[in-house]
Amino acid sequence: MADRPHYDFIDVIRTVAAFLVVISHVQQLIIDRPLTPGSVHRALSMLTTQGHNAVVVFFVLSGFWIVRSVVRAGPAFSFRDYMIARCARLWVVLLPALVMGICLDLAGSTIFPSRLYAGTQGAVSVAYDVSSRLSFGTFAGNVLFLQDIAVPSFGSNGALWSIACEFWYYVYFPLAYCALRSRNLAGILAAAAALPFLPSLPLFACWMMGGGVYVLAERFRAAGHVHWAWPAAALALLCLAIVALKLVPLHPALRDLALAACFALFLGLGMNSSFGRARGLGLLARFGARSSYSLYATHLPLMVFLCNFIVPEARLPASPGAWALVLLLPAVAVAWAAVFSRLTEDRTTAVRNWAAAALGMNRQAS
């Protein structure tokens, strides 16, 4: 229980990051480009286009949790039990989300066809014919975490690309770590040979920064409490980096690495200070722990379906009404995710135990 505020801080960040992804996709679906002139429109555009940055944050957080689980297990680590836990965690949400996507995308592309579902409405997040990505092969590839590797992301749910990256990082890290820990030369060479084939090496580097946060944060905790001013300064640096990286031309991979480094600094300092124990964050922390994955995995097909009745043929010029839609429509996705997660994420432990029993193995907490 003493550790709970330590991790509530991370769960609050998960909530904020998931919401930023949703609002970024909604903004792409609704607001036309070029942007209507005006400083207010530019500011709102800056605030509502942080989806990719939020995904980078998710990768850092994921690296933190996975490295923590593997390192803390020590010599007792079981790769089989670990993979049962990881697959249960991913599939318990992904499979229902794919079925939900089929229902919405088929209805949208056949019963309510429009330029949005045809990929010609202008939205960057749906710049293809959705019906062309509803095949069984694409569905199966997404189930096996091969989206944007061997098959496209399923239907309108382009956000699923990052889940494939996550899965292969989940597989790769513990194998490489165990080979290094045991000084298994064959395993080390195999890990080195496999590294270039990981999807998006820069994002894997961001993911590993999260693991570095875990290792260093544990040392910070042993050394004592961090004054709140340090994470406050790190947060200010993170915000400045977000603005600067938007304005300065830089290779996308370098932008991601710079952002991940700034966020990792904030995370490591914040979770060990009173800054990460602010009052009134319990609701946000609970949503992040229980529903953020559901929100990420289900929001895009739902938002595309709803926007098909609002902006089916063309996006709207930036205006107070259009921005109101961008800011309010994500509430529907949040409400849906809260319900969806009760039927899926809340069942993760039960599914994991069932899978372990079905395979005749003793489950090891991961």
Side-chain angles (χ1 to χ4, degrees):
M1 291 300 293
D3 275 351
R4 190 60 257 170
H6 185 74
Y7 299 121
D8 278 354
F9 176 62
I10 298 178
D11 289 333
V12 169
I13 295 173
R14 289 164 68 182
T15 297
V16 174
F19 186 78
L20 287 175
V21 171
V22 177
I23 204 169
S24 179
H25 283 140
V26 172
Q27 186 268 157
Q28 291 175 1
L29 292 167
I30 292 177
I31 302 296
D32 198 12
R33 292 295 191 274
L35 196 65
T36 303
S39 57
V40 173
H41 296 309
R42 288 197 300 272
L44 286 171
S45 179
M46 171 73 78
L47 291 172
T48 59
T49 54
Q50 298 301 320
H52 181 76
N53 290 341
V55 172
V56 172
V57 165
F58 270 124
F59 276 111
V60 176
L61 293 178
S62 174
F64 173 90
W65 287 117
I66 297 303
V67 171
R68 173 180 177 268
S69 71
V70 174
V71 172
R72 289 183 66 174
F77 174 76
S78 165
F79 184 73
R80 293 183 305 175
D81 292 348
Y82 163 86
M83 286 307 299
I84 288 176
R86 293 304 100 213
C87 289
R89 168 67 174 157
L90 291 175
W91 273 332
V92 77
V93 171
L94 179 62
L95 296 179
L98 289 171
V99 172
M100 169 191 158
I102 292 173
C103 297
L104 292 176
D105 288 343
L106 281 177
S109 58
T110 58
I111 303 174
F112 309 106
S114 67
R115 291 186 64 194
L116 178 55
Y117 276 102
T120 58
Q121 179 253 25
V124 177
S125 51
V126 192
Y128 51 86
D129 185 349
V130 171
S131 63
S132 69
R133 297 190 175 189
L134 295 177
S135 68
F136 176 78
T138 303
F139 180 90
N142 279 245
V143 170
L144 296 175
F145 308 105
L146 295 174
Q147 54 269 37
D148 281 19
I149 299 173
V151 297
S153 294
F154 188 72
S156 63
N157 204 347
L160 296 181
W161 68 270
S162 68
I163 296 177
C165 293
E166 292 271 11
F167 174 79
W168 294 109
Y169 301 164
Y170 289 173
V171 173
Y172 179 83
F173 172 76
L175 293 176
Y177 174 77
C178 290
L180 286 169
R181 187 181 61 193
S182 63
R183 298 180 182 179
N184 183 320
L185 181 59
I188 293 172
L189 291 176
L195 182 61
F197 296 97
L198 279 179
S200 186
L201 283 178
L203 285 176
F204 180 63
C206 297
W207 192 90
M208 286 301 299
M209 287 185 197
V213 168
Y214 168 71
V215 174
L216 294 176
E218 289 300 298
R219 294 184 179 179
F220 276 129
R221 294 181 75 193
H225 188 69
V226 177
H227 192 276
W228 66 266
W230 287 106
L235 178 59
L237 176 64
L238 175 62
C239 293
L240 287 173
I242 290 171
V243 175
L245 292 171
K246 197 81 172 180
L247 301 175
V248 176
L250 197 64
H251 191 280
L254 295 178
R255 280 204 304 266
D256 290 348
L257 291 169
L259 179 75
C262 292
F263 173 70
L265 177 64
F266 167 62
L267 178 65
L269 294 172
M271 63 191 296
N272 286 321
S273 74
S274 59
F275 195 83
R277 292 168 168 80
R279 294 180 180 179
L281 298 179
L283 181 61
L284 290 175
R286 286 194 296 275
F287 184 88
R290 299 180 65 178
S291 306
S292 58
Y293 177 27
S294 292
L295 179 59
Y296 184 86
T298 65
H299 76 276
L300 196 46
L302 178 60
M303 293 296 95
V304 171
F305 186 76
L306 293 179
C307 284
N308 196 46
F309 297 96
I310 302 171
V311 285
E313 303 301 324
R315 295 182 296 175
L316 303 175
S319 67
W323 285 118
L325 281 172
V326 170
L327 297 174
L328 294 175
L329 200 56
V332 178
V334 171
W336 168 247
V339 175
F340 185 88
S341 64
R342 298 303 177 269
L343 304 173
T344 56
E345 288 191 70
D346 279 3
R347 313 296 181 199
T348 300
T349 300
V351 171
R352 182 174 58 189
N353 291 342
W354 172 84
L359 293 172
M361 290 183 284
N362 295 322
R363 181 179 63 84
Q364 174 181 317
S366 298

